Amino acid sequence: MHNFWKEHSALRVAIIALTFILGIFLIVYGWKMTGELKGLGLMVVGLALLLVSLFVYNRPYEG
């Protein structure tokens, strides 16, 4: 599975871009929902998506 991410760089870039943009959107949208628990949930999901994009970015460089 380690070589999969090195060989499919276009897929990797697409996944990183999609999760990053969606994560930022959810964080900002949840931030605007002041005083609602749903807003906190959206921000946590957005943070998780940012971590997924970081994981996909770093995956080819693991030892």
Side-chain angles (χ1 to χ4, degrees), residues 8-45:
H8 298 89
S9 61
L11 176 64
R12 188 173 57 123
V13 168
I15 291 173
I16 291 170
L18 180 69
T19 56
F20 181 79
I21 291 169
L22 188 59
I24 293 293
F25 172 76
L26 286 176
I27 289 173
V28 171
Y29 187 71
W31 193 359
K32 291 182 181 180
M33 300 175 75
T34 304
E36 295 183 36
L37 192 58
K38 183 180 175 183
L40 177 62
L42 289 174
M43 288 191 292
V44 169
V45 171

